[in-house]
Amino acid sequence: MAQLIGGLATSHIPAIGNAIAKGLQQEPYWKPFFDGYPPVRDWLGEQRPDVVVVFYNDHGLNFFLDKMPTFAVGAAAEYRNADEGWGIPTTAPIAGELDLSWHLINTLVDKAFDITTCQEMLVDHACTLPLKLFWPGDCPVTIVPVAINTVQFPLPSAKRVFALGEAVGEAIRSWDSPKKVAVIASGGLSHQLDGERAGFINKAFDLQFMDSLVSNPQWATRFSVLELVEKTGTQGVELLMWLAMRAALGTAGGHAVREVHRNYHIPISNTATGLMALACE
């Protein structure tokens, strides 16, 4: 069976891609953010995952406001990165892990998740930037993208997203393969890009949420989506990706986790940026 080695979580602000392209990592504005990643890269170098499942939110490449699935899973042989208008250089096509994609899809449908299956799927900065941050050179992993709607109401509840993550973790562990798998959460933490609360950041909540992923994984499921938006901002609700990642690692039956590393920095482009790496014990 496949080995689930752990989970990673990172912010995915488009400006990060421009900073990477322009070599600004050691500029004073960017250095506290980028300095968080070498310990995670070292851990990944030791663990050498073969596949990553990426929880992220699509920003209009596949789904727009007229058609917005709650959950969508990629089942493509490769995923192409398209120009989003941010000036971020597009990446080479990323290889998909078809066998795991279909295993996830079949498992999720069996568990009563009504998902959209995408045999063609473009990927945006939410999927590609974590790969660039964790593997600055050539990407050594294949991927399975899992898109969660955090763009347009109605949004899935934290409890439902947690249940999705648990089901994905169970599917990974039951996948008939010798490969190592990691789970990535892309998005957050607290931020709001528009409206009366534009620039809103809630450091206290962010830090408590990060702590909870280690000590009390279901803590955030006590809040409704509207409460999470109030506490984190309209875009900060992307923390649902982090919740799905943590749930995938397991919370019972001996599925303990160890915190490998974390970083928290504000602000980058009016956003509270977070980074965590959790190892399955």
Side-chain angles (χ1 to χ4, degrees):
M1 294 295 117
Q3 179 186 357
L4 180 54
I5 65 167
L8 309 161
T10 181
S11 302
H12 64 219
I13 305 151
I16 296 168
N18 277 327
I20 294 172
K22 295 176 181 178
L24 303 179
Q25 291 93 328
Q26 295 305 304
E27 292 290 319
Y29 180 82
W30 287 105
K31 184 175 171 58
F33 171 78
F34 283 103
D35 280 357
Y37 288 85
V40 179
R41 294 171 189 154
D42 290 344
W43 178 73
L44 287 169
E46 296 169 359
Q47 297 297 318
R48 301 179 65 85
D50 303 294
V51 189
V52 293
V53 175
V54 185
F55 292 110
Y56 77 109
N57 56 313
D58 179 84
H59 294 80
L61 283 187
N62 298 282
F63 317 117
F64 200 59
L65 303 184
D66 57 340
K67 299 178 183 68
M68 185 62 66
T70 302
F71 303 125
V73 179
E78 69 173 20
Y79 300 92
R80 293 186 175 270
N81 176 213
D83 181 5
E84 302 168 58
W86 294 101
I88 308 171
T90 55
T91 63
I94 305 164
E97 188 67 41
L98 267 176
D99 191 53
L100 179 56
S101 287
W102 285 111
H103 182 63
L104 286 183
I105 290 163
N106 288 321
T107 300
L108 291 173
V109 171
D110 285 345
K111 291 181 177 294
F113 286 94
D114 298 320
I115 60 170
T116 298
T117 300
C118 302
Q119 296 186 62
E120 293 183 0
M121 198 175 194
L122 297 172
V123 290
D124 65 18
H125 67 275
C127 184
T128 59
L129 282 182
L131 301 179
K132 290 181 181 179
L133 288 166
F134 295 132
W135 294 280
D138 293 335
C139 182
V141 295
T142 55
I143 69 168
V144 177
V146 179
I148 299 175
N149 172 32
T150 59
V151 174
Q152 176 170 264
F153 282 85
L155 307 182
S157 69
K159 289 182 179 179
R160 186 61 171 165
V161 169
F162 197 90
L164 175 82
E166 287 183 314
V168 168
E170 292 171 9
I172 292 170
R173 287 188 169 95
S174 66
W175 180 36
D176 186 10
S177 169
K179 293 184 177 182
K180 292 182 176 181
V181 183
V183 184
I184 291 177
S186 174
L189 290 170
S190 65
H191 63 297
Q192 181 154 327
L193 303 180
D194 49 14
E196 294 181 358
R197 293 204 305 167
F200 173 80
I201 289 175
N202 188 345
K203 179 178 180 179
F205 185 87
D206 288 343
L207 296 179
Q208 188 171 6
F209 174 65
M210 294 175 81
D211 287 341
S212 75
L213 295 181
V214 180
S215 60
N216 185 14
Q218 298 191 52
W219 175 76
T221 66
R222 71 182 67 184
F223 302 110
S224 70
V225 166
L226 290 178
E227 288 172 327
L228 288 175
V229 169
E230 179 183 6
K231 293 178 182 298
T232 68
T234 51
Q235 283 76 38
V237 76
E238 289 173 349
L239 64 79
L240 291 176
M241 317 305 169
W242 293 51
L243 202 57
M245 175 276 290
R246 177 60 186 90
L249 303 186
T251 59
H255 296 311
V257 300
R258 172 178 56 87
E259 182 175 330
V260 175
H261 182 69
R262 79 164 74 180
N263 188 43
Y264 182 83
H265 175 62
I266 54 176
I268 293 295
S269 185
N270 292 330
T271 301
T273 60
L275 165 67
M276 284 193 82
L278 302 170
C280 293
E281 294 285 76

